Amino acid sequence: MANNYNPAEVEARWQEKWEETGLYRQVVDRSWPKHYALTMLPYPSGDLHIGHWYAMVPSDARARFMRMRGYNVLFPMGFDSFGLPAENAAIQRKIHPKTWTYANIERMRRQLRSMGAMFDWEREAVSSDPEYYKWSQWFFKKLMEQGLAYRKLAAVDFCPHCNTTLAREQVWGEDRHCERCKTPVIKKELEQWFFKTTAFAEELLEFGSIDWPERVKVMQTNWIGRSTGADVVFHTEQEDPIPIFTTRPDTLWGATFMVLAPEHPLVEKITSDEQRPVVEAYRQAAQRMSEIDREAADREKTGVFSGAYAINPVNGERIPIWVADYVLMSYGSGAIMAVPAHDERDFAFAQKYGLPIVEVIRMPGRSDDEGPLAAAYTSKTEGILVNSGPFTGTPVAGAVERVTQWLEEQGTGRAAVNYRLRDWLISRQRYWGAPIPVVYCSVHKAIPVPDEQLPVLLPEDVEFMPTGESPLKFHAGFLNTTCPECGRPALRETDTMDTFMCSSWYQYRYLSPHYDEGPFDPEEGEYWLPVDQYTGGIEHATMHLIYTRFFTKAMRDMGLVDFAEPMLALYNQGMVLGEDNEKMSKSRGNVVSPDELVRQYGADTVRTYLMFFAKWDQGGPWNYDGIKGPQRLLFDVWAIGRHAYAPPAMDEVASRALRRKTHQTIRRVTEDLESFSFNTAVAAIMELRNSIQDAQQAANVSRAAWDEAVAHLLLLLAPMAPHITEELWAGRGRPYSIHQQPWPAWDEEVAREEAITLVVQINGKVRDKITVPAGSDEETLRQTALASEKVRPWLDGKTPRKVIVVSGKLVNIVL
């Protein structure tokens, strides 16, 4: 072992040794309890950034910790490699997306290996490999068979100049223009494929069997948006039905107008000739807006009168039908009843356009002669119904249920549950994605491709148009095929699948990435599944984390798995900011390169700093000066690990003190790693380092106490700094590998303090600190405090009114 610590040499040598010996190759072994640890796979954008390291390194440390605790740990890695950035790169750089993607994957593999993580590379899965997306296509077919995949018209952002659909990221600015040609985009309706996530809406609200952060559960609950109320059918004067959902059927008598989404199919039919020009202009303007903009709470609501009227089913009143962009066709039925007296949005709209406001819930204390309402009254628990036909005088509390029952008896409505969650639109009018395995026949319509013809391969000999339109539309060899049912000429679907489809099931493919009889080997699945611990960013709470839960529930119903949740536990890390406390970006010039840090400090120092500088779930600003503390720790550990300790004399008290600190540190680090508190775990190791250095300088502890402290220092540090600890462990003649050693256990008797510092207060102010034997009873502590030389002058011979002993560590004397 070299005298001087050279991280580059040490890390390269041990990474090679781990690879040669297959140290991290995990196989099914039923003699061990299993632990499937998973961190979110990266997109191969070109280089690993410090955010990747911040997510992956602590996840790796936790996986190593679990392995040392006696678990058979699977910790795989792969690449979510389909997607729009590769296609944009193809257009901008005039390079094939596959070439760009796989060059990035190769570079990122090297960077990931430099991290020293315990990834099992033999299980690597790459979503753009045909052997992977064959099973993405197979899953599409299975979802189709289950009635969970279907096709319907849906609006997309469309650039009329480029003549192409645009992804959300390609629409820029408040004026929503095309990123390429700056032309304002419009909405266009296309036949597209959906997955029926709403089929599991109720089950997705159940979190009882998973240990996930409360914040994620709240975000998913709000995203799913369960509402109870009633479905009610209004009719136009021409008897066209207008179904609506309302959470307040008790306010039906106050509905003074209706509102349809601009895209509602009835708009064109019912609009009067006089109002048609203004309605059409309004609809075109709405086409150019995003749903987020249309729903924004702080945006002033606008609308136009259609010229048509509906009949309120509970009182026969004739009410106007308006068209407004704050109503969305994608939510509910695309129509609402408006009750301005009891809904703030409807109240503002009615005031703006001079529409009637009819009070149907009287707030407590309000009299008949008080004049118009100054604001909407929205209470569901206080007040009585007025102007409400047979329910006038009914308390508002419980009125929803009573009115709903009455609607069912009248045949005009029924109790209903509605969800804000929408079905998942998976069609992408792009090339670089998994082709949707469907062909279109003039006789048999949409037919899934037979299993034996999977995968439907992406052709590589494509020509990218400068507009970015999918080349699949113009590739005759791909487009033209035959119907699997009748053999007639047919056309392939040219849409590809949303990349979230690929990442919704990747944890299953890791089990057997080259298995060709199914999406995963069922024997591997029976042992490893489900994932025990998942880590990643909270920004995925309402997309990926909902989609993967949907997928697993669908797989359960297909009989592929026997559980309902993909990941039993989830932990979200925070974000590393730039030194300026801003989000890192090239334009700000505050990006931190992990490659450069590894060259300068070594991977172990970077790893240790990332776990030390902030609470992992919070993150914080990068600090180049801060990395010097972890760097110094590792240099000190190197010196300690190489030191040939030979004490001239042995002090029993000093030896017990070092052993006590060692066992206390084992306890602290164990508890910290269990709770993902990496920063305090590193701090505890630093304290143990200090105690060992003190013992080294004093040279007065026993050789046994020294060896125990040094061995446990290396074992505790091993998950965080795997290379240097492996080197020092081997240098001390210990068996290979340190990462296969059992996690140290602490002895409570050894860890127990022999003495404590007793704080003595008089009327809440500290007057003395006394060293007393640990475990002293309350009476002993009370008498010791009263006998203190610093306390007696304050007593002045008086008897204290109270003497309070707090937690065995503090005595407060009240005079």
Side-chain angles (χ1 to χ4, degrees):
M1 187 164 57
N3 289 331
N4 296 322
Y5 174 40
N6 182 341
E9 187 274 328
V10 168
E11 289 167 6
R13 179 155 41 81
W14 284 110
Q15 287 170 17
E16 184 178 347
K17 172 88 170 188
W18 296 336
E19 186 72 24
E20 286 175 1
T21 58
L23 182 64
Y24 303 128
R25 174 71 179 123
Q26 297 307 121
V27 297
V28 171
D29 185 348
R30 299 184 191 280
S31 64
W32 289 31
K34 69 92 177 179
H35 181 81
Y36 187 174
L38 184 66
T39 191
M40 293 181 184
L41 80 175
Y43 180 81
S45 55
D47 283 298
L48 283 185
H49 52 70
I50 203 67
H52 288 120
W53 275 67
Y54 190 59
M56 294 176 185
V57 162
S59 300
D60 174 63
R62 183 57 153 56
R64 290 176 175 279
F65 167 66
M66 294 301 292
R67 177 174 178 164
M68 294 175 76
R69 296 194 83 185
Y71 288 89
N72 189 16
V73 177
L74 177 61
F75 189 51
M77 180 48 62
F79 296 93
D80 186 14
S81 49
F82 273 139
L84 185 63
E87 195 157 339
N88 283 343
I91 295 165
Q92 294 161 9
R93 297 175 174 85
K94 295 183 170 40
I95 184 173
H96 196 284
K98 181 176 180 180
T99 304
W100 184 83
T101 298
Y102 282 84
N104 290 347
I105 288 174
E106 188 55 38
R107 182 159 61 255
M108 291 176 76
R109 276 196 195 109
R110 291 196 299 270
Q111 293 172 319
L112 285 164
R113 289 177 188 275
S114 77
M115 193 182 284
M118 58 171 284
F119 298 132
D120 183 351
W121 285 105
E122 290 190 28
R123 294 180 183 270
E124 179 193 69
V126 179
S127 66
S128 55
D129 284 351
E131 67 174 349
Y132 186 102
Y133 69 74
K134 167 183 178 177
W135 298 104
S136 293
Q137 294 172 342
W138 182 85
F139 272 122
F140 179 95
K141 288 185 55 187
K142 297 296 287 184
L143 291 168
M144 205 172 166
E145 289 172 14
Q146 299 282 316
L148 296 173
Y150 66 94
R151 194 168 181 243
K152 71 170 184 178
L153 276 172
V156 296
D157 288 319
F158 186 85
C159 175
H161 180 266
C162 295
N163 192 35
T164 185
T165 56
L166 301 176
R168 203 176 312 169
E169 309 92 282
Q170 294 176 297
V171 180
W172 287 13
E174 291 187 9
D175 63 342
R176 292 181 44 76
H177 63 263
C178 171
E179 67 165 336
R180 295 192 184 101
C181 68
K182 315 304 180 195
T183 302
V185 303
I186 61 172
K187 291 287 185 183
K188 186 173 183 178
E189 297 245 312
L190 294 178
E191 288 277 356
Q192 301 193 78
W193 286 95
F194 289 78
F195 288 159
K196 199 171 183 181
T197 48
T198 53
F200 295 97
E202 194 67 33
E203 195 178 348
L204 286 167
L205 289 168
E206 298 171 6
F207 302 99
S209 63
I210 53 178
D211 180 16
W212 282 27
E214 193 61 32
R215 188 177 167 200
V216 173
K217 293 189 282 189
V218 169
M219 290 171 73
Q220 291 201 355
T221 298
N222 292 339
W223 188 265
I224 294 164
R226 187 183 194 273
S227 301
T228 57
D231 285 335
V232 183
V233 180
F234 287 67
H235 288 82
T236 67
E237 289 184 307
Q238 291 74 37
E239 309 233 332
D240 300 297
I242 310 177
I244 62 106
F245 170 81
T246 176
T247 59
R248 296 298 304 271
D250 54 332
T251 65
L252 268 162
W253 286 264
T256 59
F257 61 100
M258 296 196 76
V259 183
L260 303 183
E263 303 85 3
H264 198 289
L266 270 182
V267 171
E268 192 165 344
K269 179 179 180 182
I270 66 172
T271 300
S272 67
D273 292 340
E274 183 182 0
Q275 289 295 108
R276 192 167 300 280
V278 68
V279 170
E280 283 304 312
Y282 188 84
R283 294 178 78 188
Q284 288 180 18
Q287 273 192 329
R288 297 200 50 247
M289 298 178 65
S290 72
E291 291 191 355
I292 293 172
D293 290 338
R294 285 169 58 172
E295 284 191 293
D298 58 350
R299 177 176 170 269
E300 185 179 1
K301 304 300 180 278
T302 65
V304 291
F305 177 43
S306 69
Y309 291 84
I311 305 301
N312 187 326
V314 298
N315 58 16
E317 291 286 335
R318 182 174 181 259
I319 59 176
I321 302 172
W322 282 65
V323 178
D325 56 24
Y326 67 82
V327 178
L328 304 177
M329 197 64 218
S330 56
Y331 179 63
S333 65
I336 65 165
M337 70 172 195
V339 184
H342 306 293
D343 180 276
E344 292 174 357
R345 184 182 60 181
D346 296 344
F347 185 88
F349 194 91
Q351 282 203 317
K352 179 175 180 177
Y353 293 106
L355 296 164
I357 300 174
V358 176
E359 181 184 15
V360 292
I361 298 175
R362 178 68 46 81
M363 72 177 73
R366 176 174 164 81
S367 62
D368 291 339
D369 57 359
E370 285 194 35
L373 288 168
Y377 178 65
T378 60
S379 174
K380 297 180 181 179
T381 58
E382 296 184 0
I384 60 170
L385 271 60
V386 295
N387 304 317
S388 298
F391 292 95
T392 296
T394 300
V396 70
V400 167
E401 294 76 14
R402 295 181 63 183
V403 171
T404 300
Q405 183 179 350
W406 179 80
L407 289 169
E408 290 178 344
E409 293 168 357
Q410 301 297 309
T412 54
R414 61 182 179 84
V417 176
N418 198 37
Y419 300 92
R420 189 165 187 79
L421 180 70
R422 301 162 195 173
D423 284 342
W424 174 12
L425 192 161
I426 64 110
S427 287
R428 295 293 181 269
Q429 292 74 41
R430 298 283 144 209
Y431 164 71
W432 191 238
I436 293 176
V438 170
V439 299
Y440 299 99
C441 169
S442 59
V443 175
H444 294 101
K445 308 305 178 189
I447 301 293
V449 173
D451 286 358
E452 60 271 18
Q453 294 180 22
L454 297 180
V456 177
L457 291 170
L458 271 179
E460 294 186 26
D461 56 334
V462 293
E463 293 186 17
F464 281 87
M465 302 177 66
T467 62
E469 193 167 14
S470 172
L472 297 179
K473 286 186 177 181
F474 308 99
H475 191 288
F478 177 85
L479 183 65
N480 298 302
T481 185
T482 56
C483 173
E485 294 286 334
C486 64
R488 288 184 175 86
L491 297 176
R492 289 197 190 279
E493 171 65 75
T494 58
D495 283 358
T496 53
M497 287 187 253
D498 179 10
T499 55
F500 277 115
M501 162 70 171
C502 304
S503 60
S504 292
W505 70 279
Y506 75 104
Q507 67 270 26
Y508 300 102
R509 193 60 180 169
Y510 278 152
L511 304 185
S512 42
H514 309 298
Y515 187 69
D516 199 42
E517 296 177 30
F520 60 91
D521 183 338
E523 187 175 331
E524 294 269 347
E526 193 273 330
Y527 177 72
W528 289 112
L529 295 173
V531 172
D532 294 285
Q533 182 64 62
Y534 199 30
T535 56
I538 199 167
E539 66 272 16
H540 298 289
T542 56
M543 294 184 77
H544 163 62
L545 289 173
I546 284 183
Y547 296 152
T548 192
R549 293 183 68 211
F550 155 76
F551 228 85
T552 295
K553 295 175 193 305
M555 289 171 66
R556 175 204 57 199
D557 290 354
M558 296 171 194
L560 295 173
V561 297
D562 60 0
F563 49 87
E565 293 291 351
M567 295 95 180
L568 299 181
L570 171 70
Y571 198 93
N572 299 126
Q573 82 276 355
M575 180 183 293
V576 183
L577 303 174
E579 281 200 298
D580 55 2
N581 211 28
E582 298 286 345
K583 188 174 180 179
M584 288 188 189
S585 71
K586 290 180 181 178
S587 62
R588 288 195 179 100
N590 62 356
V591 172
V592 175
S593 166
D595 288 1
E596 181 56 39
L597 292 170
V598 171
R599 281 191 288 272
Q600 186 174 354
Y601 299 102
D604 279 345
T605 296
V606 179
R607 288 172 60 103
T608 307
Y609 176 62
L610 284 170
M611 284 179 270
F612 177 64
F613 89 107
K615 291 185 67 175
W616 194 45
D617 62 339
Q618 295 179 8
W622 181 265
N623 184 335
Y624 281 101
D625 289 334
I627 201 170
K628 294 173 183 174
Q631 182 186 38
R632 186 164 53 252
L633 169 67
L634 297 193
F635 273 95
D636 289 344
V637 169
W638 179 266
I640 290 168
R642 293 180 61 258
H643 181 67
Y645 183 73
M650 194 267 286
D651 182 332
E652 188 65 36
V653 173
S655 296
R656 286 203 310 272
L658 181 58
R659 291 203 70 211
R660 185 183 312 116
K661 186 64 176 180
T662 299
H663 284 257
Q664 288 173 346
T665 305
I666 296 170
R667 181 173 58 198
R668 280 182 60 188
V669 174
T670 303
E671 292 171 351
D672 286 342
L673 292 185
E674 284 175 344
S675 62
F676 296 88
S677 301
F678 301 102
N679 59 327
T680 51
V682 175
I685 291 170
M686 287 177 169
E687 290 180 21
L688 179 59
R689 176 267 319 262
N690 295 342
S691 296
I692 295 173
Q693 285 178 322
D694 292 343
Q696 179 182 344
Q697 187 172 3
N700 61 351
V701 301
S702 69
R703 180 61 186 266
W706 171 268
D707 287 345
E708 179 188 49
V710 174
H712 287 111
L713 174 71
L714 297 179
L715 289 166
L716 296 175
L717 185 59
M720 281 80 98
H723 308 89
I724 188 174
T725 51
E726 187 80 277
E727 176 79 1
L728 293 170
W729 187 261
R732 295 177 67 80
R734 299 300 184 102
Y736 176 76
S737 150
I738 191 172
H739 305 298
Q740 292 178 307
Q741 305 309 308
W743 186 254
W746 70 90
D747 185 320
E748 284 290 356
E749 282 299 315
V750 176
R752 183 174 289 114
E753 291 285 358
E754 292 183 2
I756 64 165
T757 299
L758 179 68
V759 177
V760 183
Q761 296 179 340
I762 297 178
N763 291 344
K765 292 186 177 181
V766 176
R767 299 302 180 187
D768 198 4
K769 293 181 180 179
I770 310 169
T771 300
V772 297
S776 298
D777 60 34
E778 287 195 7
E779 183 58 30
T780 301
L781 296 177
R782 185 181 290 109
Q783 294 303 324
T784 301
L786 292 171
S788 164
E789 291 185 5
K790 293 182 180 178
V791 168
R792 282 203 302 268
W794 290 92
L795 296 177
D796 195 24
K798 299 173 188 173
T799 302
R801 186 159 60 88
K802 279 184 187 177
V803 180
I804 305 166
V805 180
V806 182
S807 302
K809 294 181 180 180
L810 181 148
V811 175
N812 186 23
I813 301 168
V814 182
L815 300 182

